[in-house]
């Protein structure tokens, strides 16, 4: 039986045998921690009442009650509440003069802030992310997204050159080291720097693990391998809602979300390298070893007898050597250029609407923990449903329908009055459902549209496009201060355009992966 190609041998080993099931299961767990790091800051910056620290008046009026102190030292807003970001300028008068004449000159808080409700330690209260410093919270979220972008730029090409397994190991190690380190930072700028590194590690894991799973399983099971990991990511979002509800101290919450990955780090040592990647790199002996291991694990129900399969593995020949794929290959080759540009647009608008909704969880008007739980839960049927939808209708039709629908929901939200939080939240959940389904489709579709030799470089490029959108999403939300409809109008219109472009893409359902750029 002349079967020396890696594709034929992988079919003989079994599309989704015990070996592949074990492999996919092992790659799911890092996705739980990815969800934590992606959205944990939303729960570390709770909105709490605050006002300027005006303890200067204690020097001349030590017996004043708290209410008397605030009444003398803080101006009031139009609603009669104490101003949160301004105070009366301190003076050298005695207390009786201050009481008699009052203070008029105001200034910004000069001695920090007081949080009268005595909330648990949070990023907001510990680093005073209020008033002039409140934008640091959004900036920090954008810095984390910059880390995701840097990770896409670095780990995509590196994964094509040194392999999927080493990149996974490096990314998980960085996530453990800096994820735990965040809990001990003394300054907010150090916090942002550590979050940037964690973002890069999350990007590396999100690219290398799906690639490893896809390149091991058969054609019909490729969507399931990716979508199972996405379901695990959704489960992680649900767990975050419960974890943050039970642990209100931000440092303890950070430790609780980062520590479990330590145990996983040792389990990942047993991950095998992608046999398909080894063959494309000419490392035939290593490919034979992992294929024989896979064949032993799939001893039942094989298309070929064990001895015949072992013989075929031993006869495995190096495939036509191609140069390592580069980003330029995606634009130099005519048959790849159009698809690359469309996928860049698709990932950008998909990421824009996904993060536009996800990072807005605190502003829909309902309880943040229940909303986060619903946002995580709705992703599971969206991801699982994709398994069947992609097989029934194909990748092209699915992407061209669910992506525009996610945008249409955002456009409908614009017309909902602000005093209807339930309707707004329900629509946002529907939008999250559509955006999640589109994301899962993008991962599967992208991996199938491009040759193995440039697949990870391409994935890095599209992920970069998505990360740019993720950086912009928090900044677009700030446009709401000019008009509340502006952010949702952008989040809604962009996916509609991107979805229509997907009509120009080829269908990849039930097709074999191409190993080089000549395919």
């Amino acid at each position: 039986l002349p079967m020396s190609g890696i594709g034929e041998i992988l079919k003989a080993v079994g599309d989704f045998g015990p070996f592949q099931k074990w492999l996919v299961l092992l790659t799911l767990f890092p996705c739980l921690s990815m969800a934590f790091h992606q959205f944990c800051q939303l729960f570390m910056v709770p909105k709490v009442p605050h006002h300027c620290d005006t303890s200067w008046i204690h020097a001349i009026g030590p017996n004043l009650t708290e209410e008397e102190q605030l009444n003398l030292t803080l101006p009031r807003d139009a609603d009669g509440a104490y101003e949160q970001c301004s105070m009366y300028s301190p003076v050298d008068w005695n207390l009786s003069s201050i009481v008699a004449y009052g203070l008029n000159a105001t200034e910004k808080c000069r001695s920090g802030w007081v949080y009268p409700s005595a909330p648990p330690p949070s990023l907001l209260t510990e680093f005073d992310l209020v008033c002039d410093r409140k934008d640091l919270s959004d900036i920090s979220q954008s810095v984390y997204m910059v880390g995701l972008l840097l990770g896409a730029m670095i780990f995509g090409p590196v994964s094509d050159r040194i392999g999927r397994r080493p990149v996974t190991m490096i990314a998980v190690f960085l996530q453990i080291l800096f994820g735990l380190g965040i809990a001990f930072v003394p300054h907010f700028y150090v916090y942002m720097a550590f979050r940037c590194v964690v973002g890069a590690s999350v990007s590396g894991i999100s690219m290398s693990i799906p690639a490893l799973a896809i390149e091991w399983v058969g054609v019909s099971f490729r969507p399931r391998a990716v979508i199972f990991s996405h379901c695990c990511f959704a489960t992680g979002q649900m767990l975050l809602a419960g974890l943050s509800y039970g642990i209100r101290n931000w440092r303890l919450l950070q430790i609780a979300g980062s520590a479990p990955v330590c145990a996983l780090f040792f389990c990942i040592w047993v991950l095998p390298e992608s046999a398909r990647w080894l063959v494309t790199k000419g490392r035939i002996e290593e490919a034979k070893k992992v294929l024989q291991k896979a064949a032993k694990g799939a001893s039942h129900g094989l298309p070929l007898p064990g001895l015949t399969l072992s013989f075929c593995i031993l006869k495995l020949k190096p495939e036509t050597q191609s140069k390592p794929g580069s980003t330029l290959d995606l634009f130099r080759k005519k048959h790849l250029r159009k698809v690359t540009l469309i996928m860049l647009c698709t990932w950008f608008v998909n990421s824009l609407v996904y993060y536009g909704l996800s990072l807005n969880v605190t502003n829909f008007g309902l309880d943040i923990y229940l909303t986060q739980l619903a946002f995580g839960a709705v992703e599971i049927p969206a991801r699982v449903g994709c398994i069947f939808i992609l097989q029934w209708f194909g990748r092209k039709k699915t992407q061209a329908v669910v992506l525009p629908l996610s945008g249409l929901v955002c456009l409908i939200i614009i017309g909902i009055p602000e005093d209807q939080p339930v309707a707004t939240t329900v629509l946002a959940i529907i939008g999250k459902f559509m955006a999640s389904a589109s994301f899962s489709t993008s991962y599967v579709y992208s991996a199938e549209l491009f040759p193995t030799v440039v697949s990870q470089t391409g994935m890095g490029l599209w992920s970069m496009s998505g990360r740019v959108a993720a950086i912009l999403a928090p900044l677009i939300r700030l446009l709401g201060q000019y008009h509340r409809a502006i952010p949702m109008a952008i989040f809604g219109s962009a996916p509609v355009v991107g979805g229509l472009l997907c009509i120009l893409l080829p269908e990849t359902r039930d097709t074999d992966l191409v190993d080089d750029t000549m395919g």
Side-chain angles (χ1 to χ4, degrees), residues 39-48 124 137-138 141 240 244 355-373 375 421 424-425 428 477 488:
F39 300 113
C40 65
Q41 185 178 302
L42 295 174
F43 301 91
M44 295 178 179
V45 192
K47 296 178 181 178
V48 295
L124 183 143
S137 176
D138 288 323
Q141 194 65 52
L240 170 62
S244 57
Y355 286 106
L357 291 170
S358 299
L359 298 178
N360 209 34
V361 69
T362 58
N363 296 322
F364 290 124
L366 296 186
D367 180 78
I368 180 176
Y369 302 101
L370 289 178
T371 306
Q372 177 64 32
L373 184 66
F375 266 31
T424 302
T425 303
R477 286 179 51 226
M488 281 300 170

Side-chain angles (χ1 to χ4, degrees), residues 219-506:
V219 171
S220 61
F221 288 90
R222 287 199 304 248
R224 303 187 194 187
V226 174
I227 291 169
F228 283 157
S229 69
H230 289 177
C231 286
C232 214
F233 181 77
T235 303
Q237 293 184 53
M238 297 168 66
L239 292 175
L240 170 62
L243 197 64
S244 57
Y245 181 81
I247 305 175
R248 303 299 176 95
N249 184 315
W250 81 271
R251 293 185 186 271
L252 295 180
L253 177 60
Q254 184 69 35
I255 293 172
S258 302
V261 189
C262 296
L264 178 65
F265 180 73
F266 297 101
C267 297
I268 286 187
W269 279 102
V270 298
L271 275 179
E273 184 53 89
S274 163
R276 186 183 290 274
W277 178 85
L278 288 170
V279 170
T280 61
K281 291 297 179 181
R283 293 159 63 171
I284 302 302
E285 293 305 315
E286 294 175 62
K288 289 178 181 178
K289 288 180 182 178
V290 292
L291 284 169
Q292 286 171 338
K293 184 177 180 180
K296 289 178 182 177
S299 56
H300 299 291
L302 284 175
L304 293 171
L307 287 174
T308 304
L309 179 59
S310 297
F311 176 77
C312 292
I313 292 173
L314 290 173
K315 290 291 185 181
L316 183 65
K317 297 282 194 298
E319 300 189 345
T320 304
Q321 279 298 106
S322 304
K323 290 183 178 180
S326 70
T327 304
L328 289 177
D329 288 333
L330 296 171
F331 295 95
R332 189 183 297 122
K333 312 286 183 178
K334 185 177 180 180
H335 64 286
L336 296 179
R337 188 183 305 127
K338 180 184 78 173
V339 179
T340 299
L341 292 173
I342 293 176
M343 291 311 296
L344 281 171
C345 178
T346 300
W347 277 69
F348 181 87
V349 298
N350 204 159
S351 182
L352 195 67
V353 67
Y354 181 87
Y355 286 106
L357 291 170
S358 299
L359 298 178
N360 209 34
V361 69
T362 58
N363 296 322
F364 290 124
L366 296 186
D367 180 78
I368 180 176
Y369 302 101
L370 289 178
T371 306
Q372 177 64 32
L373 184 66
F375 266 31
V378 77
E379 286 199 25
I380 294 179
R383 311 286 195 179
V384 173
C386 262
I387 297 176
F388 305 101
I389 294 173
L390 289 176
Q391 287 302 113
W392 293 336
F393 299 104
R395 283 62 161 153
K396 177 179 175 178
K397 291 180 182 177
T398 302
Q399 187 76 298
V401 171
V402 295
L403 184 55
L405 283 178
S406 68
L408 287 175
V409 171
C410 292
L411 295 176
I412 294 172
I413 288 176
I414 296 174
I416 304 297
E418 291 186 68
D419 59 354
Q420 299 290 328
V422 175
T424 302
T425 303
V426 169
L427 283 170
I429 291 171
I430 295 172
K432 185 79 181 293
F433 177 94
M434 295 298 175
S436 301
S438 179
F439 243 141
S440 286
T441 304
S442 294
Y443 270 93
V444 175
Y445 206 3
S446 300
E448 294 177 344
L449 280 169
F450 293 85
T452 303
V453 73
V454 292
S455 68
Q456 279 302 96
T457 299
M459 189 67 79
L461 186 63
W462 309 313
S463 187
M464 281 170 53
S465 175
R467 300 317 179 197
V468 170
I471 293 170
L472 294 176
L475 305 179
I476 291 173
R477 286 179 51 226
L478 295 177
L479 297 176
Q481 60 186 307
Y482 301 106
H483 195 289
R484 62 179 291 264
I486 295 176
M488 281 300 170
I490 296 173
F491 296 144
S493 56
V496 173
V497 175
L500 294 176
L501 287 176
C502 292
I503 297 173
L504 303 175
L505 294 172

Side-chain angles (χ1 to χ4, degrees), residues 168-213:
T168 303
M169 297 292 297
I170 293 169
V172 171
F173 176 74
L174 288 174
Q175 189 174 115
I176 293 170
L177 185 63
F178 286 89
L180 289 173
I182 287 174
F184 302 96
V185 296
H187 304 291
F188 191 70
Y189 294 108
V190 178
Y191 167 85
M192 289 197 291
F194 277 37
R195 283 273 291 168
C196 185
V197 177
V198 169
S201 73
V202 166
S203 197
I205 293 172
S206 67
M207 288 187 296
S208 59
I209 285 184
L212 192 60

